[in-house]
Amino acid sequence: MAMSALSWLANVCPPWFDFTDLQDGWAVGTARPPSTPWERTGIELHFEGSEEVRVREVKPGTCLPARCPERHVQGDRTFCVGLHRRTVRSLDEANAWWDQLWQYLICQAIAERMGVWPPANALDHGDAGHYHERALAIAEQLGITEEYLAARLDEPSWITDPNLRLMDQQLSPINGRSPCPRGCKKARGKRKAIIRRKCKSRTMMLELVRCERKRRKALQEYWGYIRQSGTVCCGTMKQCELRALTSAGSG
């Protein structure tokens, strides 16, 4: 009989966690990750799942907010520990799962103390996260990660400049004879600017622009859904779309 995900997790349980009850399909235990606010008092966690394990506080809202998009606590009170939920069917996968939970709790500790979530450890919420992940991968391949990160934060950039008219409304390439938006130049001769359709990176650049446009749209739709659901700001984060909405409503 195949071992359950919780059995695999119990086999490689890290020293900062103790299971107090382990049943078929669910478990309870206490995490005391070092150098966090819960190192001594602990944070009681509930686990559930056969292959993919979901985790939440035993009593949501005790140590962490019961619901907070910016702190990656979802509407069903479970923790969003990553864009892709890990299966646990081996010791290696179990170790990777614990590592991911450890990183999540460290980020929660930073959020608790500083009111910010480490930007390097977060993707955007909802469907926007998939576009965000893809955009980061493309930017890395192009060697423009810092440029993309700045554009994502609304710094002026060709990535987000609508006046460049890189694509039409169907997101198909246009204006192929215009200069490459990155300023690429010919390798020899007078070093003239390369036109868009001859730039070797054109396909990837356009995909990056598409991803960023879709990311922004998906993120806007996500926050619209969150507002309509009646989610209230927990007040623990310095910047939050829900806090901005609450402030505007109380004015």
Side-chain angles (χ1 to χ4, degrees):
M1 182 176 179
M3 287 179 58
S4 69
L6 293 174
S7 295
W8 285 116
L9 292 180
N11 279 350
V12 291
C13 184
W16 50 269
F17 188 87
D18 292 310
F19 279 108
T20 54
D21 198 355
L22 183 60
Q23 302 293 331
D24 184 22
W26 64 273
V28 173
T30 303
R32 293 184 175 84
S35 303
T36 71
W38 315 289
E39 182 175 4
R40 292 186 178 181
T41 59
I43 173 171
E44 291 189 295
L45 301 179
H46 178 277
F47 301 77
E48 185 176 359
S50 56
E51 288 191 359
E52 296 179 351
V53 179
R54 298 175 298 280
V55 58
R56 60 172 173 81
E57 279 195 271
V58 170
K59 294 181 179 180
T62 303
C63 295
L64 306 180
R67 169 72 172 113
C68 179
E70 290 301 317
R71 290 184 65 168
H72 303 273
V73 182
Q74 304 182 111
D76 63 358
R77 308 307 190 247
T78 60
F79 301 163
C80 179
V81 297
L83 182 61
H84 307 286
R85 188 173 289 168
R86 292 179 180 272
T87 57
V88 184
R89 294 170 294 193
S90 68
L91 287 178
D92 286 343
E93 289 181 344
N95 280 314
W97 192 95
W98 282 117
D99 288 344
Q100 195 171 40
L101 180 61
W102 162 267
Q103 188 62 53
Y104 177 86
L105 293 175
I106 294 299
C107 289
Q108 286 289 3
I110 294 171
E112 184 78 11
R113 291 166 173 160
M114 308 297 293
V116 295
W117 190 273
N121 294 88
L123 293 172
D124 284 331
H125 308 296
D127 290 340
H130 297 282
Y131 297 120
H132 187 189
E133 182 181 50
R134 179 57 182 155
L136 287 169
I138 296 170
E140 184 177 4
Q141 285 182 272
L142 290 172
I144 57 169
T145 297
E146 294 300 321
E147 187 175 356
Y148 170 68
L149 293 176
R152 179 176 173 270
L153 296 176
D154 295 324
E155 292 290 329
S157 172
W158 61 268
I159 299 171
T160 53
D161 186 355
N163 296 321
L164 286 178
R165 300 187 67 231
L166 297 170
M167 295 176 289
D168 59 20
Q169 292 184 348
Q170 287 70 44
L171 302 184
S172 298
I174 59 174
N175 297 329
R177 295 193 62 80
S178 299
C180 172
R182 291 184 61 201
C184 296
K185 298 183 181 297
K186 295 181 180 179
R188 299 178 182 178
K190 296 182 179 180
R191 301 275 294 169
K192 292 183 179 180
I194 295 175
I195 61 175
R196 295 175 187 176
R197 64 182 177 84
K198 290 189 176 181
C199 178
K200 295 180 180 180
S201 300
R202 187 188 189 196
T203 300
M204 293 183 66
M205 288 194 302
L206 291 177
E207 187 180 357
L208 177 60
V209 173
R210 289 190 194 99
C211 282
E212 179 58 14
R213 290 185 183 181
K214 291 180 178 180
R215 183 196 68 81
R216 290 175 179 241
K217 183 175 184 294
L219 189 59
Q220 185 179 34
E221 291 173 348
Y222 171 85
W223 282 115
Y225 168 77
I226 292 299
R227 294 188 187 100
Q228 291 176 4
S229 71
T231 301
V232 178
C233 179
C234 67
T236 66
M237 301 295 275
K238 291 181 178 179
Q239 292 184 338
C240 174
E241 289 285 332
L242 292 178
R243 170 175 283 189
L245 181 66
T246 302
S247 299
S250 62

